Amino acid sequence: MIYICKGIGECCKAPCTLCNVCCKQCGETCKCVTDFFDPIMNGPLGPYVIGTWIVALLVAICGGLGFMSADCDEAVIACGILIGIGVVHACFAYYLQRQIVSGIMKRGQQPTNSKELAREAGNILLYDVGFCLYIFFFFGAWGWCFYSFAMMSCGAGAGFAAAGILIFFGFMSTFYMFGWYCCNCFAGSVGGKIPSFVQGGPPQQQPQQQQQQPRPVIMGVALPRFG
């Protein structure tokens, strides 16, 4: 009888054991995801990179639905190109962030200094071949998104939403990048820090002021402090 009771007890503990195993696996998975996204979100242009990836995911979903529901070959081609544009935007956002970080680290600086960020962004703007090619792609793809509405006029369903998202992204990313660079230039020139939600990364901590030691007093007279 005791063995039967032990068997029933083990069966009752099985769900708890399974739950503990699942929780452990979920914890390890979450840690891997966190380790991957932390350097991106805490790096320069972190919100821009994550936002671009979200846009690319939405474009892929809408473009895929439009691809399957398209009523003509031109609409199918347009949806495929829209998905490709989103992928290129997502890849370049990550590339730009890594270029900024690696350039600053090569000079032995930290990628949290506004002056260094503005300086490295300027170097990329002037000398980086990938950035130069992307500028032509960006404006060409943005203009083509308007033309894609004509290609999908026969019917593309969610493909129209994909084109609209990319057009909206073109406006917002231009304003964000311009504002980010100007804020870093201004903050670098005055020796300040820009807000973390614009910069990306953890909030900047201000150095604590050194507490002054009290001056020694002898017989009611305060002596001068040396050193």
Side-chain angles (χ1 to χ4, degrees):
M1 187 66 182
I2 188 172
Y3 297 107
I4 296 176
C5 294
K6 286 183 177 180
I8 295 175
E10 292 298 327
C11 292
C12 293
K13 290 191 298 183
C16 295
T17 304
L18 180 62
C19 182
N20 290 333
V21 173
C22 293
C23 290
K24 182 179 179 181
Q25 294 298 324
C26 290
E28 293 177 355
T29 303
C30 292
K31 185 178 183 303
C32 292
V33 173
T34 302
D35 292 343
F36 175 77
F37 280 100
D38 269 351
I40 297 173
M41 196 62 198
N42 293 331
L45 293 175
Y48 166 74
V49 177
I50 299 299
T52 304
W53 287 2
I54 294 174
V55 167
L57 178 61
L58 294 176
V59 170
I61 294 173
C62 295
L65 294 175
F67 186 91
M68 293 184 293
S69 63
D71 295 330
C72 62
D73 292 339
E74 286 189 349
V76 171
I77 295 174
C79 290
I81 294 176
L82 290 173
I83 295 174
I85 292 174
V87 171
V88 173
H89 285 319
C91 293
F92 177 79
Y94 182 76
Y95 166 82
L96 179 61
Q97 184 188 60
R98 293 301 97 192
Q99 287 293 98
I100 292 175
V101 172
S102 63
I104 294 177
M105 297 295 288
K106 286 179 181 178
R107 295 196 297 270
Q109 302 291 333
Q110 293 298 321
T112 55
N113 183 280
S114 297
K115 184 177 181 179
E116 291 297 326
L117 287 170
R119 176 184 175 185
E120 188 59 32
N123 290 337
I124 292 175
L125 177 66
L126 295 175
Y127 305 114
D128 189 80
V129 177
F131 182 84
C132 179
L133 295 176
Y134 178 76
I135 288 296
F136 289 101
F137 170 84
F138 178 88
F139 288 104
W142 187 62
W144 185 89
C145 288
F146 290 95
Y147 175 73
S148 67
F149 285 100
M151 295 184 65
M152 296 185 293
S153 59
C154 62
F160 292 102
I165 292 172
L166 287 174
I167 292 173
F168 179 74
F169 171 79
F171 281 111
M172 296 305 297
S173 61
T174 302
F175 290 137
Y176 180 87
M177 294 297 293
F178 180 77
W180 179 86
Y181 181 73
C182 290
C183 286
N184 275 292
C185 289
F186 176 76
S189 64
V190 298
K193 299 291 184 181
I194 63 176
S196 60
F197 67 88
V198 177
Q199 167 77 3
Q204 304 293 331
Q205 297 183 355
Q206 298 296 332
Q208 297 181 353
Q209 294 182 354
Q210 185 178 1
Q211 185 177 3
Q212 295 183 353
Q213 298 295 329
R215 298 170 63 181
V217 178
I218 298 179
M219 301 181 63
V221 178
L223 300 179
R225 183 175 55 250
F226 299 96

